[in-house]
Amino acid sequence: MEWQLGQRFLYSFEFRIDPSLRYRGGTRREDSQLVLARWENAEGGQPLFDLKFDARHGVTLMGRTCIMPEQFGDWHRFNLRLRWADDNTGFIEARCDGSLHVGAPIFAASEMPTNRPLACSLKESCPANTPRPSRFNMQLGLIADPNLPPRKAGFVPLTSKGAKVEMRRILVRRLYVIFGRKAEF
C-alpha cells in the first residue's frame, strides 16, 4: 500500500518479541540495527523513521521507550497517527499499549515536514540534497538493517537461533477527524 502527501493515517499493530533475544544494539550510544516497523520514501526506499528494538533498550521510536526488554514475550500495541507533509502542516504521534485519546504518547511533534528523515526534520537541518518524496511505504516485521549505524559490513549479529517477532491485528486507516492529539511530547 502507498500513501501520499496531505493524507492523515493511523498505523496500528500488535507485536510480541521473543524474550530470548540477546542482541543488545550498538556498543556505545548507537541505535539498534533491528527494526520492527519502518516508514520510508516510496520513491527511493530512504527510511524516514523506524520503530527499533534490542535487548538493552527495548522497543524505541526516536530514542523514546515504547516497551522495556523485560516486557518482551507479552503482546503490545503500537499506534502511530501522522499527517504526511512537505511543510509545517505535518505531525506525528506515537503511543504504546494505550488508548489513542488517554495518557501521554511516547513521542509527538507538530508543525514539521514528515517526508524527510524525522531526525533532520526536528533539527531543521536536513541537507539540501535530502529527497522530498510525495509517496510513502511501510514495512513491518523483522528488519535487520546493515545500513544503520554503526554501518559495519554485514547483517546484525544475532544468536545462532536467530530472532523471532510476531505481529497481529495490523490496521491502517485513513483519518478524516483526529480527536485528542498531543502536539508535542
Side-chain angles (χ1 to χ4, degrees), residues 104-116:
I106 64 162
F107 182 84
S110 296
E111 300 179 5
M112 56 179 264
T114 53
N115 70 334
R116 288 168 237 159

Side-chain angles (χ1 to χ4, degrees), residues 1-5 7 9-11 13 35-51 80 82 84 92 114-116 132-141 143 170 172:
M1 185 175 263
E2 197 174 272
W3 303 284
Q4 299 177 7
L5 285 174
Q7 296 176 332
F9 278 92
L10 166 65
Y11 302 92
F13 54 88
V35 176
L36 184 62
R38 169 173 287 166
W39 289 264
E40 67 181 8
N41 171 353
E43 298 161 358
Q46 172 196 32
L48 302 175
F49 46 96
D50 293 331
L51 185 63
L80 178 76
L82 71 82
W84 291 112
I92 181 170
T114 53
N115 70 334
R116 288 168 237 159
R132 297 170 73 128
S134 60
R135 298 175 304 137
F136 312 93
N137 291 328
M138 175 180 69
Q139 294 182 35
L140 292 177
I143 304 167
I170 299 165
V172 177

